[in-house]
Amino acid sequence: MAKLTKRAIDALPTPDKGQTFHWDTETRGFGIRVGASGAKTFIIQYRNVEDRSRRVKIGRYGIFTVEQARDLAKIKLGEVAAGGDPAEEIAQARKDASVAELCDWYLEEARAGRILGRRNRPIKASTLNMDESRIKTHIKPLVGHRIARHLTIADVEAMQTDVVNGKTAKPRTGGRGGVSTGGTGVAPRVVSTLQSVLGHAKHKGLLKEHPTKGARKLATNKKKRRLSVAEIEDLGAAMVVAERNGENPVGIAIVKLLLLTGFRRQEGQAMQRDWLNAGGGYVAFPDTKGDAQLRAVGAAAITLIQDQPAFVGNLHVFPSADTDGPITTARDCLARLCAIAKIADVTPHTLRHTFGSVAGDLSFSELTIAAMLGHAAQTITQGYIHVDEALRLAVARTSEEMVAILNRGANRADRPLRKAA
């Protein structure tokens, strides 16, 4: 690339993934990094006295002009020529970094793919979005100002207690998203996020020791709510009533699919058409909570998927009418169906648990049910695609039973629903 100028930088393309580097021809070692998000950051690259290649961030384009960044680059490259190492100085400074600074470092490094998570793979964007929310809502307000290496186990456990007691609760301020209330569900997850930040900082040499290793997290009570057979019938009746009253049939279809398959909400909601192998009786998810995975599906689920109307240019089974993505209102649709059926305390995960429970009622083993729900190893490896026949039959039998229960409810949709217990 030629000399870095404002015009040249404004014209730089944004990469589809990862990042690209563009180097200045006037000041050797001075350049700019462009990320997939469109962010442009000035950098320098050099070799230190140990002949190790080092890269240092100067600052974000837009905050710094090209001229300001070039001047700073010359100063730092001059320090290198005199035997200095700006990267090492930054690393030393981070050893006294605040918790907030380490959190910002963690998110930037993880989004760039330089921090590995489960199975030594880059951390998923959805996981990082949740981490960022916990950092912004709970960690920074409570301990963000503290020097990270001075934190203690008592500090982390006190933070957890504050989250439980709602110290970081705040009302919704408009736009999308709900109310932040804290509580016993989110508190241990906040601790997990902070421990991950500190653990990775130690792994990367930014902390000599993990200062809060051993902090205890509150035990979480996993929700065991399942729908009874009577409630499934009521939900079947509610689907008929809701569609007559103008409920979006696509939303109803997603709810029904979750009941017929035990898929997680996002798995069903964001499914794409070419993931279904109708002949093989499975859906090949390229990415799930357990990585790429094959999930057996019954005939009724296959028919439901194939019957969904297609939108030109939209690859999803349940397409949004407004974007090229999937519909995102399954949770809201379920809430309206439950209101009609007079069923309380139901989430999309309840439907997943219900599918597993119906399989249990049919006397399938816990190991089989785990595989049906994607907890066991039905993964795609080395291009070899196979779904165990016994597993396929178990899913088909459970799906058939669910259809029978839903149909019993649908057949009495013109009669009053049961009163709430």
Side-chain angles (χ1 to χ4, degrees):
M1 183 175 180
K3 177 181 176 180
L4 288 178
T5 63
K6 182 180 186 303
R7 177 178 294 180
I9 293 173
D10 288 340
L12 291 176
T14 299
D16 293 333
K17 59 181 179 179
Q19 49 193 0
T20 56
F21 297 87
H22 306 271
W23 302 101
D24 185 46
T25 55
E26 178 180 287
T27 304
R28 182 178 176 83
F30 172 54
I32 191 165
R33 179 180 69 206
V34 184
S37 66
K40 299 173 181 177
T41 306
F42 292 111
I43 59 172
I44 60 169
Q45 185 163 308
Y46 62 92
R47 288 190 174 276
N48 62 12
V49 293
E50 298 174 344
D51 200 35
R52 296 176 60 188
S53 180
R54 310 298 291 268
R55 187 179 294 153
V56 173
K57 180 172 69 175
I58 298 294
R60 184 71 62 87
Y61 173 59
I63 298 176
F64 287 88
T65 65
V66 184
E67 293 74 19
Q68 289 170 332
R70 183 180 282 108
D71 289 343
L72 283 172
K74 288 178 179 178
I75 292 172
K76 291 187 177 294
L77 291 169
E79 294 173 2
V80 173
D85 189 345
E88 181 62 24
E89 293 170 8
I90 292 171
Q92 290 295 327
R94 278 183 174 150
K95 290 181 179 179
D96 285 327
S98 68
V99 171
E101 289 169 335
L102 281 187
C103 286
D104 291 341
W105 162 83
Y106 169 81
L107 291 172
E108 182 176 342
E109 291 291 292
R111 291 196 189 283
R114 293 189 288 271
I115 291 179
L116 304 181
R118 296 177 61 199
R119 297 181 175 88
N120 290 325
R121 296 180 181 177
I123 301 171
K124 293 182 180 180
S126 58
T127 300
L128 289 173
N129 290 340
M130 292 302 300
D131 284 339
E132 184 172 16
S133 176
R134 293 171 193 141
I135 287 169
K136 180 179 178 181
T137 305
H138 304 289
I139 295 174
K140 283 187 175 181
L142 293 172
V143 295
H145 64 286
R146 299 287 303 277
I147 297 299
R149 68 185 180 90
H150 292 162
L151 277 182
T152 66
I153 289 175
D155 293 329
V156 173
E157 293 179 353
M159 177 192 73
Q160 181 171 233
T161 300
D162 286 340
V163 175
V164 169
N165 293 335
K167 189 171 182 179
T168 47
K170 59 182 180 181
R172 182 173 178 173
T173 57
R176 299 184 67 179
V179 179
S180 169
T181 58
T184 56
V186 70
R189 296 187 179 97
V190 172
V191 173
S192 292
T193 295
L194 177 57
Q195 296 293 66
S196 291
V197 171
L198 298 175
H200 284 297
K202 177 184 180 298
H203 178 70
K204 296 289 186 177
L206 304 184
L207 291 172
K208 186 176 181 180
E209 299 293 341
H210 190 313
T212 62
K213 186 176 181 180
R216 294 185 178 182
K217 293 184 292 184
L218 287 173
T220 56
N221 293 321
K222 292 188 176 181
K223 293 184 178 180
K224 297 181 180 180
R225 170 80 162 104
R226 64 155 285 179
L227 298 178
S228 67
V229 171
E231 287 175 324
I232 299 172
E233 290 182 7
D234 286 345
L235 199 57
M239 290 178 182
V240 176
V241 173
E243 190 160 8
R244 287 176 184 168
N245 294 339
E247 179 66 55
N248 186 345
V250 178
I252 296 174
I254 297 175
V255 172
K256 190 172 184 179
L257 181 73
L258 299 183
L259 276 170
L260 296 180
T261 61
F263 288 172
R264 298 177 180 90
R265 175 181 60 86
Q266 192 59 15
E267 291 171 349
Q269 190 169 256
M271 189 193 316
Q272 295 190 14
R273 292 181 179 276
D274 59 0
W275 298 353
L276 171 67
N277 186 310
Y282 64 82
V283 174
F285 288 104
D287 189 26
T288 71
K289 192 173 182 180
D291 296 319
Q293 200 171 68
L294 302 180
R295 300 281 284 283
V297 288
I302 291 173
T303 300
L304 186 151
I305 292 170
Q306 293 177 327
D307 285 348
Q308 296 309 302
F311 285 10
V312 175
N314 195 315
L315 303 176
H316 295 87
V317 174
F318 305 105
S320 166
D322 304 316
T323 71
D324 60 358
I327 193 172
T328 58
T329 56
R331 190 190 300 273
D332 294 336
C333 179
L334 175 60
R336 290 189 290 270
L337 291 172
C338 289
I340 294 172
K342 300 181 177 64
I343 305 172
D345 192 28
V346 178
T347 69
H349 192 77
T350 306
L351 307 185
R352 177 171 165 82
H353 190 66
T354 298
F355 180 84
S357 297
V358 169
D361 294 342
L362 295 172
S363 301
F364 291 112
S365 69
E366 289 186 7
L367 185 61
T368 298
I369 294 171
M372 293 165 70
L373 294 173
H375 293 316
Q378 284 290 327
T379 55
I380 303 171
T381 56
Q382 300 177 349
Y384 179 66
I385 297 179
H386 171 71
V387 177
D388 183 82
E389 184 63 23
L391 178 63
R392 196 197 320 269
L393 292 173
V395 169
R397 180 70 186 87
T398 304
S399 181
E400 289 168 2
E401 179 68 13
M402 193 70 76
V403 169
I405 299 171
L406 287 170
N407 285 345
R408 287 203 298 269
N411 290 335
R412 61 172 178 78
D414 292 325
R415 288 178 286 173
L417 297 176
R418 294 179 176 86
K419 293 182 179 180

